[in-house]
Amino acid sequence: MPQPLIWVSLALLFISVPLVYNLISRAGNETRMLQEVVRMREEVRVSEIRRDQVRVALNHAGTDTFVEYYARAYLRWAKPGDTVIVPSTAPPTRKWWEEFVK
């Protein structure tokens, strides 16, 4: 009588090994996917912060204050009536494309 019970138990054990392996494999995949979701959410958060910074900079670039500062500081323009002083030890000027090709 115990002999068929042993065979049935061995058959069930034999069938359960691949199922346990599949369960462990799926749990590992789930863990990796959750880690990837967390990483992507952080990447989205950083991108949204950067987008907001660019929007603020773009809004500031459209103001008259920035345009005047850029014209005076970088383009070395002056308003009518301004006294222009050129230092004798001014750094050599560079062509505009030298800024992009270094």
Side-chain angles (χ1 to χ4, degrees):
M1 189 76 157
Q3 186 115 5
L5 187 58
I6 291 174
W7 285 109
V8 169
S9 298
L10 287 175
L12 289 176
L13 181 64
F14 183 72
I15 291 172
S16 68
V17 169
L19 295 175
V20 169
Y21 176 77
N22 189 16
L23 178 68
I24 291 171
S25 174
R26 285 180 182 257
N29 288 341
E30 186 72 22
T31 302
R32 282 191 296 277
M33 284 194 294
L34 288 175
Q35 289 172 348
E36 185 69 14
V37 166
V38 168
R39 185 191 66 78
M40 290 178 138
R41 282 184 180 161
E42 179 63 21
E43 188 175 321
V44 166
R45 188 186 68 78
V46 168
S47 296
E48 287 174 346
I49 290 171
R50 178 70 181 134
R51 180 199 61 204
D52 293 341
Q53 290 172 343
V54 168
R55 281 185 181 165
V56 168
L58 185 60
N59 288 338
H60 177 66
T63 63
D64 291 337
T65 306
F66 175 78
V67 171
E68 183 175 346
Y69 168 76
Y70 188 84
R72 289 176 177 268
Y74 293 100
L75 301 178
R76 297 182 181 173
W77 290 358
K79 285 185 170 182
D82 284 349
T83 303
V84 178
I85 300 173
V86 178
S88 61
T89 59
T93 58
R94 297 181 353 196
K95 295 180 176 61
W96 64 269
W97 61 81
E98 290 177 357
E99 288 292 322
F100 300 104
V101 181
K102 291 186 180 187

